[in-house]
Amino acid sequence: MQGGGGRAMAAARALRCVRARGSASVLQQSGRAFVTEVEDGVGLGFGARVKEQSARSSRQEARSRNGRWLAAGAFSLSFAASTMSVAFGKERVADRFAPKEVVLYQYDACPFCNKVKAFLDYHDIAYKVVEVNPMGKKEIKWSEYKKVPILVVDGEPLNDSTAIITELSRRIEAANASALTQEVESEEEEKWRSWVDEHLVHLLSPNIYRTPREALQAFDYLTTSGNFSTMERATGKYFGAAAMYVIGKRLKKRHNILDERAALYDAAEEWVKALDGRQFMGGSKPNLADLAVFGVLRPIRQLDTGRDMMASTKIGEWYARMEDAVGATARLQEEPLMGTIDNSMKV
């Protein structure tokens, strides 16, 4: 049986082979699409910490502004009354206040796209999906922003998972008279949303690409669920897995992670401890922090990484409650869109 050193050498040889063929960067990008589009694992879609700080400032400013809805103006107080829900139930948007058309440009396995989907599913906002091919990204060639997720709401593109969710949430809560009384809770909520973006995501790559077998498992999921040609599936799974196995080790070293599994377990237990006996961080129903953690973890749930985390920590009960609360997908089941955008849309 080949030892860890032998496997690493084999992976390195495979990576050199990919580079020799001139396709390593593309395949590595496909792997990073599973977790993030920037190699440092920040994963906010901004690609730089200064933009993370800008996003946080925007979120704080958004809480003090009156919201606006894209086509129908602001949500009225009747929305707040109509969406008072018990635990484990969706918080639906009334039809007359819901956007007319929502289109999500995504990678199916991307945790940041899954953050947006968790929000849309929880609020039962119907949306269409355009699966982007990470090799060429022709589906988003119309956009100056070349990362996913991109959410087009009634013709207006919104970029970056955290910024998208903040904006949609602001519009939903714009006319909620009780919003000013929830400032203390929102500070906690923002703290843990930042924790997801700045800490939890850094642990994903080193874990899902921890061993050659796990790297292959992750790429099998990525290439099966994503928008790839037959040739890309055939080459991407093996060469991409080898490349990301090596990159996973590099990211582990960069973020000073000694034991990637132990670090992930610690993060899960840290989240459970922060719940402090509550059903959700939001109390009787999920808030944006709950949806962020759930969305990021959902793509890894059926991988070895996710199964090990559930078996070795106490996060499983909360995760099961989140599955019940988010419920069935609000995604419209129809023929896949071809990645075009109407000329009337603002880009």
Side-chain angles (χ1 to χ4, degrees):
M1 181 177 293
Q2 194 176 36
R7 288 194 297 270
M9 292 177 62
R13 285 197 298 272
L15 177 57
R16 288 195 295 272
C17 180
V18 176
R19 285 174 174 161
R21 297 186 182 201
S23 59
S25 61
V26 173
L27 294 172
Q28 290 171 9
Q29 183 183 31
S30 300
R32 289 196 297 272
F34 193 107
V35 179
T36 177
E37 288 212 57
V38 288
E39 189 172 317
D40 65 6
V42 171
L44 294 180
F46 289 89
R49 184 168 297 278
V50 63
K51 292 187 178 181
E52 294 176 32
Q53 295 169 345
S54 175
R56 288 196 295 273
S57 297
S58 297
R59 294 200 297 268
Q60 293 169 355
E61 180 182 353
R63 290 199 300 269
S64 66
R65 298 200 308 263
N66 288 326
R68 59 178 179 82
W69 193 240
L70 287 173
F75 284 103
S76 74
L77 286 174
S78 61
F79 166 75
S82 66
T83 57
M84 293 297 289
S85 58
V86 297
F88 318 129
K90 288 177 180 286
E91 189 169 350
R92 292 181 170 85
V93 177
D95 289 344
R96 63 184 180 279
F97 300 123
K100 294 182 175 66
E101 183 177 48
V102 178
V103 182
L104 176 64
Y105 292 79
Q106 66 151 25
Y107 304 142
D108 187 69
C110 168
F112 306 103
C113 300
N114 274 275
K115 281 171 59 179
V116 175
K117 287 190 286 189
F119 181 91
L120 296 173
D121 291 340
Y122 177 60
H123 289 286
D124 207 26
I125 299 172
Y127 60 96
K128 302 174 185 177
V129 165
V130 175
E131 190 67 24
V132 176
N133 183 312
M135 301 296 189
K137 300 184 180 179
K138 63 181 181 180
E139 293 82 4
I140 55 174
K141 64 182 180 180
W142 52 269
S143 173
E144 294 182 2
Y145 185 82
K146 298 303 180 184
K147 299 177 181 179
V148 295
I150 299 174
L151 191 72
V152 180
V153 184
D154 289 340
E156 180 181 353
L158 303 174
N159 305 325
D160 174 74
S161 63
T162 300
I164 289 168
I165 292 168
T166 296
E167 178 63 10
L168 292 182
S169 179
R170 181 179 69 83
R171 295 173 184 185
I172 288 174
E173 297 178 354
N176 187 346
S178 65
L180 295 178
T181 67
Q182 299 175 0
E183 188 64 27
V184 174
E185 292 182 4
S186 68
E187 290 178 1
E188 180 186 47
E189 183 178 51
E190 290 303 304
K191 169 189 172 182
W192 287 99
R193 292 180 73 196
S194 296
W195 176 83
V196 171
D197 292 335
E198 298 169 8
H199 177 64
L200 185 59
V201 295
H202 292 303
L203 305 177
L204 299 183
S205 275
N207 272 281
I208 66 174
Y209 302 120
R210 183 179 63 143
T211 66
R213 189 183 71 82
E214 287 177 297
L216 280 172
Q217 182 188 58
F219 258 80
D220 183 59
Y221 175 36
L222 174 66
T223 56
T224 299
S225 61
N227 180 9
F228 294 91
S229 68
T230 301
M231 181 61 69
E232 288 167 346
R233 286 191 178 93
T235 58
K237 177 178 177 179
Y238 296 99
F239 289 116
M244 291 310 298
Y245 172 77
V246 174
I247 288 177
K249 300 305 179 188
R250 185 193 306 171
L251 294 176
K252 176 181 175 180
K253 182 177 180 180
R254 174 180 296 182
H255 297 297
N256 299 313
I257 301 171
L258 299 179
D259 184 326
E260 58 269 33
R261 275 296 197 269
L264 181 63
Y265 297 163
D266 288 346
E269 294 292 4
E270 184 180 2
W271 172 253
V272 173
K273 182 178 179 181
L275 293 175
D276 194 25
R278 292 171 290 181
Q279 293 176 327
F280 305 103
M281 181 69 71
S284 62
K285 62 183 180 180
N287 65 12
L288 298 186
D290 289 289
L291 292 170
V293 177
F294 177 73
V296 165
L297 295 180
R298 186 155 61 170
I300 71 169
R301 176 63 183 90
Q302 300 306 321
L303 300 178
D304 285 354
T305 298
R307 287 192 286 264
D308 289 351
M309 180 185 65
M310 294 297 172
S312 302
T313 72
K314 298 178 181 178
I315 201 171
E317 291 185 5
W318 166 84
Y319 190 92
R321 289 194 293 270
M322 284 300 300
E323 286 185 312
D324 289 342
V326 172
T329 181
R331 174 177 177 174
L332 297 174
Q333 300 300 320
E334 58 178 29
E335 290 297 318
L337 299 179
M338 299 306 294
T340 59
I341 188 168
D342 189 272
N343 290 333
S344 64
M345 292 183 177
K346 301 174 184 178
V347 296

